[in-house]
């Protein structure tokens, strides 16, 4: 006869969930960093205006510094350009996934621009705000003009070719500001822009209409 063996329950071990390693971030856009530093050295920040508290959603407000204001101005100008690109001729978009992605990007960046403008207005009075002129480009290199002249048959491919470098520039600018950000609200915005634009690039380049561009 076999002897029944009773297993006594031992102490319960607490399983530690492994932490997923985050893939290393490739720092691109050295030119973006150089431009940002040049803007700072040229006096884009205004020493005459004290830092203004910005709400972070919880806890005491955190002041927005001049560095954060430079980032908000530069990113807002870039996003306004992106919105102009998205709104050239959305009715010409043929691929359903591209149409859905364009609508989502438009909604996201419109909301980000609105919030950034509120922070800029709260930090700097309208009559003393530093001016950042971003004239519209002209000629064949202007993406808006390029899209306006593109027929519906090739619109999807050209739109993807324009949006990929545009969103890559946004991710580079946001990533460059992350170690410089003082306000938690601005740092969180930079992080979200970096992550969302990087994800958008993956979606855009995975579309059948995507093609290799210089």
């Amino acid at each position: 006869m076999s002897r029944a063996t009773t297993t006594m329950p031992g102490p319960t071990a607490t399983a530690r969930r492994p932490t997923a390693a985050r893939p290393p971030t490739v720092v691109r856009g050295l030119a973006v960093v150089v431009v940002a530093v040049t803007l700072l050295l040229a006096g884009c920040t205004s020493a005459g205006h004290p830092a203004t508290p910005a709400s972070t959603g919880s806890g005491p407000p955190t002041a927005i510094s001049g560095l954060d204001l430079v980032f908000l101005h530069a990113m807002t100008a870039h996003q306004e350009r992106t919105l102009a690109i998205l709104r050239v001729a959305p009715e010409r978009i043929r691929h359903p996934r591209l149409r859905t992605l364009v609508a989502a990007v438009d909604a996201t960046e419109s909301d980000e621009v609105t919030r950034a403008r509120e922070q800029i207005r709260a930090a700097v009075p309208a009559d003393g705000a530093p001016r950042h002129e971003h004239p519209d480009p002209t000629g064949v290199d202007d993406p808006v003009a390029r899209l306006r002249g593109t027929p519906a048959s090739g619109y999807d491919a050209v739109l993807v070719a324009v949006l990929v470098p545009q969103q890559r520039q946004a991710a580079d600018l946001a990533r460059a500001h992350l170690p410089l950000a003082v306000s938690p609200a601005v740092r969180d915005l930079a992080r979200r822009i970096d992550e969302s634009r990087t994800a958008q690039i993956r979606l855009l380049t995975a579309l059948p209409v995507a093609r290799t561009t210089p």
Side-chain angles (χ1 to χ4, degrees):
M1 291 179 61
S2 59
R3 179 178 299 176
T5 303
T6 303
T7 303
M8 299 298 293
T12 302
T14 302
R16 174 174 293 180
R17 299 178 62 183
T19 302
R22 187 175 182 177
T25 302
V26 180
V27 179
R28 300 186 302 268
L30 179 59
V32 175
V33 180
V34 174
V35 170
V37 174
T38 303
L39 288 173
L40 294 176
L41 294 178
C44 283
T45 56
S46 177
H49 297 290
T52 302
S55 175
T56 60
S58 62
T62 303
I64 291 183
S65 73
L67 286 171
D68 288 341
L69 283 176
V70 170
F71 169 72
L72 289 176
H73 276 288
M75 183 56 70
T76 300
H78 189 278
Q79 290 171 315
E80 288 171 343
R81 193 63 184 163
T82 304
L83 292 172
I85 291 170
L86 297 174
R87 296 170 181 175
V88 170
E91 70 280 359
R92 296 185 203 168
I93 300 174
R94 294 184 171 184
H95 199 284
R97 278 160 50 197
L98 179 57
R99 189 181 302 113
T100 300
L101 179 58
V102 165
V105 173
D106 190 308
T108 297
E109 301 211 17
S110 296
D111 181 68
E112 290 171 349
V113 167
T114 299
R115 292 174 181 271
R117 283 175 178 166
E118 291 174 353
Q119 290 178 316
I120 292 171
R121 281 195 298 267
V124 183
D127 58 352
R131 304 301 178 189
H132 295 258
E133 297 297 332
H134 298 271
D136 289 339
T138 57
V140 296
D141 294 330
D142 176 10
V144 172
R146 181 182 176 188
L147 285 167
R148 284 174 180 161
T150 301
S153 58
Y155 193 83
D156 286 7
V158 173
L159 179 58
V160 170
V162 166
L163 277 179
V164 168
Q166 180 76 6
Q167 300 306 74
R168 183 175 291 120
Q169 289 171 5
D172 289 343
L173 179 59
R175 193 177 308 120
H177 186 68
L178 278 172
L180 307 175
V182 176
S183 165
V186 176
R187 185 185 302 112
D188 181 65
L189 173 65
R191 178 189 57 78
R192 286 187 286 108
I193 289 175
D194 179 18
E195 293 176 353
S196 67
R197 288 358 172 230
T198 301
Q200 289 168 14
I201 291 169
R202 288 196 299 267
L203 293 173
L204 287 167
T205 54
L207 290 170
V209 296
R211 62 189 184 191
T212 304
T213 56

